[in-house]
Amino acid sequence: MNRGRKCYILGMKLLMWLSAGITAALTLFLLGYILLKGIPYITWELLSTKPSYIAERIGILPDILNTLYIIFATLVFVIPLGVGAAIYLTEYAKNKRLVGMIEYAAETLSGIPSIIYGLVGMLFFCTFLNLKTSLLAGALTLVIMNLPTVMRTTQESLKTVPQSYREGAFGLGAGKWRVIRTVVLPGCVDGVITGCILSVGRILGESAALLFTAGIAHDLYGLFEGLSNSGSTLTVALYVYAKEQGEFEIAFAIAAILMILTLLINLAAALISRYFKKRRSL
Amino acid sequence: MKKKRVFENIIHGIFLILGLVTVGFVLLITVYLIISGIPAIREIGLFPFLFGRTWASTAAEPSYGILPFILTSIYGTAGAIVIGVPIGFMTAVYLAKLAPKGVKSVMSAAVSLLAGIPSVVYGLVGMIVLVPAVRKLFHLPDGASLFAAIIVLAVMILPSIIKVSVTALEAVPKEYEDASLALGATPAETYFRVSVPAAKSGIAAAVVLGVGRAIGEAMAVMMVAGNVANMPSLFGSVRFLTTAVASEMSYSSGLQRQALFSIALVLFLFIMLINAALNFFLKRDKEGGK
């Protein structure tokens, strides 16, 4: 082997190791730094109270609840829409152009930046539908954002339902709707669960789309009262505390919580996909 | 029997509507952006709006030129691509071809974690670690600058670039590589001269996806770029298209508010162009990979 070739091979290998090293180091740094700076400030008082000027304390209980409410409301709307669209595409649609159009629309939706969702959500849900700045308006905006995800994961799982099951059911005299209800729907459970986990991750991390639709208030409400009022999720609260109020300790505490939740969600997604793969191969 | 058919048709109709909801949402977004974005462009004039060099929306004699934002978004995205793509690409080749199994699964988990970190968390670390470091390193009065934003964006697009490139590289038929190895090429030569060219459409898609992510990012950039409507310079405080919308939205009114919608429309057009390019590469990857 001549020297030029040897240099090329060595150079490429070095560059690969360097790049992979940078990626690994970055992840380790971010994880370690955020957890080390955030965890000391996570106290029971922080988690269990709301901000109070009189007591001069900041609590993030309202933000935690708002996050849960918004996740709940988004999933309630997005699951039927996403599953329905996926069933239409795999079970009903025959027109190729229509299928292409729907899939192109889904791809377009997943490419639109969240700040544009926030703007349109504000114009349409808050102003036009008169929902004001509320958790419900925020959740509906997130429904549009997460629809392609749920639709795609459901579609993937429907493709694994064997065609012979459907034919068997049809052969026994079942109508289309009965086949969908008894054969197709049970087959898409894993896709829906995967879609939900991915959506929860995305909702948890979303800020730009919620800032102008769900607002930045920190009040304690029940679920239904909460949905009709303005409120900030954990992520929006982090932004406001860091950028507008300079409360970096609180911001890092929230960042550490978000980091732990992201880890848990990734773990859940990996475990679920492994579980379903195993079950399917049985 | 007839009753049953009517019932089935109704069900079919319901699913058709659910299928069309996605298309409806895209139309809704497009129509809303166009309707709310056009009036300000008409009042200001397309040319002064797009190519005006000063943005002074709250001045006594307001001026609405968004050239600084457009250029900042382009420079910022280009910078993030220049830094992020080589690192992401090399990492992807390593993970897809060279890495031992254990290293690969740990690194994949790390990349998923990077992808899942909320953008405000990137912004926060950028604000506390990167901005002061940039200030000290380059002796600036303030470290919040285009340079800091480029670094943050480069980190944020890494996971998408790595994931999509790895998928494309893993789809390269094994026979190609075997043939090259049998001809006496070493593994490293095979990966870069055979596998990478075979996966080039998929890698191009990864880059375009990165461009889309970078140009659309708002919150992280808002926290590190300084947010002053200057013409872009590497170490100056700048404002992107996204942050221009986000920073004035809460208190704007009248023509200023309408101009913000017009900025969103410009951003939307950029994104649509990028989507079209992405689709082109993905389609070619599907056809060429087989």
Side-chain angles (χ1 to χ4, degrees):
Chain A
M1 219 185 281
N2 63 30
R3 256 183 73 188
R5 258 179 91 187
K6 261 190 192 150
C7 282
Y8 174 81
I9 294 165
L10 191 69
M12 281 313 196
K13 275 194 176 159
L14 278 179
L15 281 177
M16 277 197 282
W17 282 323
L18 183 68
S19 303
I22 291 176
T23 311
L26 256 173
T27 319
L28 269 181
F29 165 73
L30 283 169
L31 189 66
Y33 185 79
I34 292 164
L35 290 182
L36 281 180
K37 278 209 90 162
I39 286 179
Y41 300 111
I42 304 178
T43 58
W44 178 244
E45 199 195 355
L46 179 78
L47 294 177
S48 63
T49 55
K50 67 177 203 162
S52 156
Y53 285 111
I54 302 162
E56 282 189 354
R57 60 147 199 256
I58 292 175
I60 58 168
L61 182 63
D63 310 317
I64 297 173
L65 288 179
N66 288 334
T67 311
L68 293 177
Y69 297 161
I70 246 178
I71 289 175
F72 172 76
T74 308
L75 292 183
V76 163
F77 288 105
V78 83
I79 292 173
L81 283 175
V83 173
I87 288 183
Y88 179 74
L89 284 178
T90 44
E91 307 298 322
Y92 282 101
K94 296 209 177 64
N95 186 337
K96 271 230 167 97
R97 278 179 66 189
L98 190 62
V99 174
M101 197 165 84
I102 294 174
E103 281 179 344
Y104 189 79
E107 264 160 44
T108 309
L109 280 186
S110 44
I112 294 177
S114 47
I115 179 84
I116 287 189
Y117 280 111
L119 210 62
V120 174
M122 185 186 80
L123 287 171
F124 185 70
F125 295 120
C126 302
T127 312
F128 183 74
L129 294 185
N130 209 14
L131 292 172
K132 305 277 177 354
T133 307
S134 63
L135 286 185
L136 184 63
L140 291 173
T141 311
L142 292 179
V143 167
I144 309 183
M145 262 177 97
N146 287 300
L147 180 59
T149 316
V150 176
M151 191 175 122
R152 196 166 316 123
T153 54
T154 310
Q155 245 182 314
E156 291 299 321
S157 70
L158 284 180
K159 278 182 195 154
T160 63
V161 175
Q163 197 57 32
S164 56
Y165 287 16
R166 299 188 181 91
E167 283 157 8
F170 279 125
L172 290 170
K176 185 122 194 174
W177 168 238
R178 207 184 162 91
V179 172
I180 289 176
R181 203 160 43 100
T182 55
V183 176
V184 174
L185 274 181
C188 67
V189 172
D190 50 344
V192 175
I193 294 179
T194 314
C196 285
I197 294 176
L198 294 179
S199 298
V200 170
R202 200 150 171 214
I203 297 167
L204 210 57
E206 190 46 59
S207 44
L210 289 174
L211 202 53
F212 307 118
T213 53
I216 54 170
H218 306 286
D219 287 317
L220 275 176
Y221 293 111
L223 172 60
F224 290 101
E225 218 185 342
L227 283 178
S228 56
N229 278 291
S230 148
S232 73
T233 63
L234 281 171
T235 322
V236 175
L238 190 170
Y239 173 76
V240 175
Y241 284 131
K243 188 87 206 309
E244 327 251 290
Q245 302 183 1
E247 299 277 0
F248 293 114
E249 293 169 7
I250 307 293
F252 269 107
I254 300 177
I257 294 173
L258 287 173
M259 216 53 189
I260 294 167
L261 291 175
T262 310
L263 274 171
L264 287 178
I265 285 170
N266 280 348
L267 190 69
L271 286 180
I272 282 272
S273 84
R274 196 187 296 167
Y275 170 74
F276 284 124
K277 220 182 243 168
K278 217 175 177 180
R279 210 184 55 175
R280 204 171 289 142
S281 63
L282 282 179
Chain B
M1 214 53 216
K2 204 178 160 200
K3 217 173 174 182
K4 197 174 169 191
R5 195 179 303 151
V6 173
F7 174 72
E8 290 290 348
N9 282 339
I10 293 175
I11 299 279
H12 188 149
I14 293 175
F15 278 116
L16 173 65
I17 292 172
L18 289 175
L20 286 176
V21 162
T22 321
V23 181
F25 281 150
V26 174
L27 287 179
L28 179 89
I29 291 172
T30 316
V31 168
Y32 255 91
L33 280 177
I34 292 176
I35 290 181
S36 44
I38 292 289
I41 295 182
R42 273 190 141 160
E43 194 163 331
I44 299 160
L46 183 64
F47 195 79
F49 180 69
L50 286 181
F51 299 107
R53 298 166 69 94
T54 41
W55 172 270
S57 55
T58 45
E61 255 181 65
S63 125
Y64 301 97
I66 64 164
L67 190 66
F69 308 153
I70 295 180
L71 287 181
T72 303
S73 273
I74 292 176
Y75 291 168
T77 306
I81 291 294
V82 165
I83 298 175
V85 167
I87 298 177
F89 167 72
M90 284 293 181
T91 308
V93 179
Y94 176 74
L95 288 185
K97 300 293 172 192
L98 221 64
K101 227 175 173 190
V103 175
K104 188 178 170 181
S105 69
V106 171
M107 282 287 285
S108 302
V111 173
S112 298
L113 180 67
L114 275 186
I117 297 177
S119 55
V120 287
V121 174
Y122 281 110
L124 178 65
V125 176
M127 244 171 123
I128 302 296
V129 180
L130 185 65
V131 169
V134 169
R135 192 191 65 213
K136 252 186 230 148
L137 209 60
F138 299 100
H139 307 288
L140 303 169
D142 185 8
S145 58
L146 179 59
F147 182 74
I150 286 176
I151 304 282
V152 169
L153 286 176
V155 176
M156 290 182 75
I157 63 173
L158 257 186
S160 345
I161 290 174
I162 295 176
K163 270 189 180 172
V164 179
S165 305
V166 165
T167 313
L169 283 164
E170 280 177 344
V172 172
K174 190 94 184 40
E175 293 83 8
Y176 291 11
E177 285 158 14
D178 289 344
S180 158
L181 290 169
L183 285 172
T186 64
E189 286 173 321
T190 303
Y191 301 142
F192 283 99
R193 299 209 164 135
V194 176
S195 313
V196 168
K200 66 174 184 296
S201 294
I203 295 170
V207 176
V208 177
L209 191 70
V211 172
R213 284 281 140 80
I215 211 165
E217 180 50 47
M219 304 312 270
V221 165
M222 185 115 140
M223 294 165 93
V224 298
N227 219 10
V228 181
N230 292 325
M231 285 299 266
S233 64
L234 196 54
F235 293 109
S237 171
V238 290
R239 206 183 267 192
F240 289 64
L241 281 169
T242 47
T243 51
V245 178
S247 56
E248 290 185 19
M249 204 63 227
S250 49
Y251 59 82
S252 62
S253 61
L255 183 62
Q256 181 196 3
R257 196 178 183 81
Q258 287 177 328
L260 296 182
F261 293 139
S262 310
I263 296 177
L265 181 61
V266 173
L267 176 65
F268 185 65
L269 292 178
F270 270 112
I271 291 289
M272 288 315 246
L273 271 180
I274 292 165
N275 270 350
L278 184 64
N279 264 305
F280 169 77
F281 285 122
L282 283 177
K283 213 178 215 172
R284 213 171 64 173
D285 187 43
K286 242 181 211 163
E287 286 158 6
K290 287 272 135 46

